[in-house]
Amino acid sequence: MELAHLTLHEARQGLARKEFSSFELTQSFLKRINKYNSDINSYLSVYSKEALKQAKEFDDADVIKTNPLAGLPLAIKDNILIEGGIVTAGSKILENYQASFTATAVKRLKECGAIILGKTNLDEFAMGSSTENSAFGVTKNPWDTKKVPGGTSGGSASAVTADLCLSAIGSDTGGSIRQPASFCGCVGYKPTYGIVSRYGLIAMASSFDQIGPLAKTVKDAALLIDCMAGHDTYDSTTTTKNLENFVDGIAKFKPSGMTIGMPKEYFSKDLDSQVAELIQDEVLALESQGIKVKEVSLPLTKYNLPVYYIIMPSEVSSNLGRYDGIRYGFSDRSGKTLESVYINTKSNGFGQEVKRRILIGTYSLSSGYYEAYYGRAQKARNLIKKEFEDVFKEVDLLITPTAPGPAFDIGAKTASSVDMYMQDIFTVSANVAGLPALSLPVGLVNGLPVGLQIIGPRFADLPVLGLANILEQQIAFSRLEYV
Amino acid sequence: MKLSDKELKHLTSLAKIKLANDELNKFQKQVSDILTFVDELKKMDVTGADKISQMSGEVNNWRLDKKYEASGKQKKRIHDAAPETKDGFLKVPGIFSDL
């Protein structure tokens, strides 16, 4: 089997048994990136020299490296800072911007010994659901290059699927890890809000954003979370709770006595019936294992997207204020006044979707509309959060679809923003309520992968990963062998 | 709901974003469509609900009241990232003066 097709855990084992070197492993990815990246456009920048240098250091070390990710190559979404490296956020406004510090999540992955292969493509400032909003070209779905890989972590998802890395890191604000994972047939995990530090993640909507893994298996995703998770003094929204080890936890996890809820609002006419069938088949199989399943109702489900598309753009309009051409990034100083620097820089630097969301946020926060939009959405968000808390008194976890259907054609949904927003219909709730949620490939519809989503109450990351691990073995999805 | 010309102008002025003349109609329609979409929230009963402002549940995670200095290397990166510099300083447009 080609080295690049190995999972993170298989590669780790292979290195430990000296079946191959980290140099050979890293080189196999760089060769594939060289061969395939111009077709798929997963990577925006590739760190060939640096990656091989680190791989060689691993191989030459006298001491046996016991770091959990030692010698293992990963890809990082290009809205996460690595000191000295260009970080674009998929935008012309940061096209040449070099990061002045490294994100805590990446710092921890490096401390675990990981090798960084490069930065992956994304929708501009993580706004979109298809990676079509990138200022640096669209990324293609490796299963069918006429289709989108999903977004905004489309670069990361396609890199994992096409074996251009062992695993990748992405970010999820409304589904940006899970939906591309669903479209590309890999595992995508958004942890409980507060588990992974956002320090060094280019902020989009600070009360929704979370960093998380995209991987070939659930166990791989759990390992990456173990390396990144935990309190960070640089991010005061990170949890002060002591976290368990997830890899160990999922090995011991027993679902007996669990009750799974299937919220009826997520199995509506908006869902492709073939996806519904695939999920229901797996749930039936779980039932035969002694896990209880019941239908539940979340009546506020229809308000998730409106709440999200009010609060998120409001936070965006505030967070993106910093790209004013004063301290860094693209700067248009052709005008005569300070204000013209702001206006020209933003108008010429930002793409269309970014401008749209800034305008929506500006509207929601403006005088006369603030209470009717932002204020109301804050109350609605609280009620949605409470609705989930109530349902989790009845059931332990929820199973839902990840996306309304399989990947769509490139260009199919760019005419209407609202059409694109509807792609997030099942993923956004986990961000609205700060809950852990994972997407797992459940099968193929018209030859394209689709995902099953598991949502848990806050800090139920272990049960979510644990159930996913069990389902993964039950589903036995065949990964793509991209050539 | 349809955004009026005046409202769109007000928003672009607040956001400090200028739309090209040939973009105005398109943006007006697109932003109006999105506002219509989010107006669904008006139908939700939020009586008696408190606003929620943060999701972490954490309260006052302070850091030590101690000075943290950026390293020489970081200071150089910050300096080099600036659009214009002079004598080691970041050069910025004057607030009240013309450029």
Side-chain angles (χ1 to χ4, degrees):
Chain A
M1 186 208 278
E2 202 187 322
L3 289 184
H5 195 63
L6 294 173
T7 67
L8 192 63
H9 273 88
E10 285 168 348
R12 189 178 168 200
Q13 219 166 52
L15 284 180
R17 291 178 186 162
K18 298 204 187 291
E19 286 166 10
F20 45 82
S21 65
S22 173
F23 191 87
E24 285 171 315
L25 180 62
T26 304
Q27 208 171 42
S28 75
F29 286 116
L30 292 172
K31 279 197 181 129
R32 284 182 69 85
I33 293 169
N34 203 38
K35 187 171 178 194
Y36 297 120
N37 199 54
S38 52
D39 296 329
I40 316 180
N41 197 33
S42 296
Y43 282 88
L44 294 179
S45 50
V46 184
Y47 300 158
S48 320
K49 249 182 25 196
E50 187 54 41
L52 287 172
K53 178 165 165 274
Q54 288 167 34
K56 195 156 188 308
E57 274 167 21
F58 169 86
D59 292 331
D60 291 347
D62 287 332
V63 176
I64 296 171
K65 298 268 183 92
T66 53
N67 274 353
L69 297 175
L72 300 173
L74 306 176
I76 308 285
K77 186 176 181 181
D78 203 23
N79 61 350
I80 297 172
L81 270 64
I82 302 181
E83 186 180 339
I86 303 259
V87 58
T88 65
S91 179
K92 287 266 186 251
I93 219 168
L94 289 178
E95 190 171 9
N96 299 307
Y97 173 69
Q98 275 191 308
S100 57
F101 65 96
T102 297
T104 297
V106 173
K107 180 163 162 282
R108 289 177 179 180
L109 290 170
K110 285 175 142 204
E111 281 165 356
C112 285
I115 292 171
I116 309 299
L117 287 166
K119 309 300 282 307
T120 56
N121 200 14
L122 66 159
D123 288 283
E124 188 178 2
F125 285 104
M127 299 185 202
S129 306
S130 63
T131 311
E132 290 172 288
N133 290 332
S134 171
F136 306 108
V138 73
T139 295
K140 318 267 175 73
N141 191 318
W143 287 80
D144 178 344
T145 54
K146 293 189 302 308
K147 308 276 183 194
V148 300
T152 60
S153 308
S156 286
S158 58
V160 170
T161 298
D163 294 323
L164 303 181
C165 61
L166 282 174
S167 305
I169 303 300
S171 71
D172 188 312
T173 304
S176 288
I177 285 174
R178 293 161 285 151
Q179 186 252 30
S182 175
F183 279 11
C184 288
C186 64
V187 174
Y189 177 51
K190 181 203 85 68
T192 299
Y193 181 85
I195 292 268
V196 180
S197 171
R198 291 177 299 107
Y199 180 70
L201 168 67
I202 291 180
M204 178 196 165
S206 311
S207 74
F208 298 90
D209 294 342
Q210 271 296 275
I211 286 176
L214 291 101
K216 299 177 189 182
T217 68
V218 173
K219 199 169 158 206
D220 287 356
L223 176 57
L224 292 166
I225 286 284
D226 278 335
C227 292
M228 295 189 291
H231 184 66
D232 181 21
T233 46
Y234 290 105
D235 177 0
S236 62
T237 61
T238 51
T239 185
T240 46
K241 283 182 198 286
N242 274 328
L243 299 172
E244 60 256 275
N245 183 285
F246 294 120
V247 169
D248 290 345
I250 65 177
K252 297 183 210 143
F253 180 76
K254 296 258 180 288
S256 53
M258 259 204 158
T259 306
I260 306 293
M262 309 256 304
K264 66 177 197 220
E265 292 82 4
Y266 287 65
F267 292 90
S268 63
K269 59 170 174 56
D270 291 318
L271 177 64
D272 180 314
S273 57
Q274 291 180 81
V275 178
E277 221 179 285
L278 283 169
I279 295 175
Q280 274 145 9
D281 284 346
E282 295 307 325
V283 171
L284 275 170
L286 281 180
E287 270 188 301
S288 70
Q289 278 187 62
I291 296 170
K292 292 195 274 301
V293 179
K294 70 185 272 202
E295 195 190 56
V296 293
S297 177
L298 293 165
L300 298 179
T301 297
K302 60 177 177 280
Y303 298 117
N304 281 311
L305 276 174
V307 164
Y308 178 70
Y309 277 99
I310 291 173
I311 302 182
M312 174 273 291
S314 301
E315 294 183 359
V316 160
S317 69
S318 176
N319 278 328
L320 268 64
R322 66 194 65 180
Y323 304 106
D324 54 9
I326 300 298
R327 287 162 298 157
Y328 47 72
F330 168 70
S331 179
D332 186 330
R333 297 193 180 190
S334 58
K336 291 206 183 305
T337 63
L338 173 66
E339 200 185 30
S340 73
V341 174
Y342 297 154
I343 294 172
N344 294 341
T345 297
K346 291 180 188 190
S347 305
N348 296 322
F350 286 144
Q352 309 254 316
E353 183 59 27
V354 170
K355 287 178 183 169
R356 273 191 288 271
R357 295 196 192 191
I358 290 173
L359 291 173
I360 297 289
T362 303
Y363 183 92
S364 301
L365 294 173
S366 65
S367 174
Y369 293 108
Y370 185 100
E371 280 306 327
Y373 284 84
Y374 184 70
R376 168 170 269 268
Q378 284 180 295
K379 292 178 181 176
R381 189 177 193 181
N382 206 1
L383 291 173
I384 289 169
K385 180 170 177 276
K386 290 202 166 81
E387 185 175 75
F388 273 108
E389 284 164 7
D390 289 342
V391 92
F392 286 123
K393 290 178 186 148
E394 281 181 73
V395 300
D396 299 295
L397 296 173
L398 298 170
I399 286 182
T400 78
T402 305
F408 45 88
D409 285 343
I410 292 170
K413 298 206 187 282
T414 47
S416 158
S417 286
V418 175
D419 268 357
M420 193 66 88
Y421 298 168
M422 289 298 285
Q423 285 301 306
D424 297 337
I425 194 172
F426 304 128
T427 48
V428 113
S429 51
N431 306 83
V432 169
L435 308 175
L438 181 149
S439 179
L440 178 65
V442 68
L444 298 176
V445 169
N446 307 330
L448 294 166
V450 289
L452 173 156
Q453 177 175 237
I454 302 169
I455 305 175
R458 278 180 65 69
F459 299 108
D461 298 80
L462 182 54
V464 167
L465 287 161
L467 181 67
N469 191 37
I470 286 167
L471 268 171
E472 181 179 67
Q473 287 158 57
Q474 179 181 291
I475 294 167
F477 179 79
S478 290
R479 285 192 286 128
L480 182 68
E481 297 203 29
Y482 184 75
V483 284
Chain B
M1 66 138 287
K2 181 127 186 347
L3 208 62
S4 70
D5 288 355
K6 188 166 160 220
E7 282 173 317
L8 182 63
K9 192 160 186 282
H10 177 59
L11 289 183
T12 56
S13 156
L14 283 176
K16 305 243 184 292
I17 284 176
K18 183 159 171 274
L19 298 173
N21 280 333
D22 58 358
E23 283 184 309
L24 282 170
N25 282 339
K26 190 178 75 165
F27 265 88
Q28 193 168 14
K29 180 173 192 310
Q30 286 169 342
V31 173
S32 300
D33 286 347
I34 298 168
L35 289 172
T36 304
F37 175 67
V38 302
D39 271 344
E40 275 299 295
L41 198 60
K42 292 192 167 137
K43 298 180 186 163
M44 182 173 164
D45 182 7
V46 297
T47 331
D50 290 325
K51 291 178 185 178
I52 191 169
S53 303
Q54 61 106 311
M55 298 308 291
S56 71
E58 296 285 323
V59 179
N60 294 344
N61 270 334
W62 304 114
R63 66 169 176 83
L64 289 176
D65 184 13
K66 135 176 170 215
K67 183 176 155 191
Y68 293 87
E69 183 101 13
S71 69
K73 195 168 62 150
Q74 279 179 321
K75 285 182 190 175
K76 184 170 191 302
R77 290 203 199 280
I78 291 169
H79 170 275
D80 292 349
E84 274 186 87
T85 58
K86 187 180 154 83
D87 303 334
F89 290 94
L90 270 60
K91 188 161 175 236
V92 300
I95 293 174
F96 299 112
S97 52
D98 288 348
L99 288 174

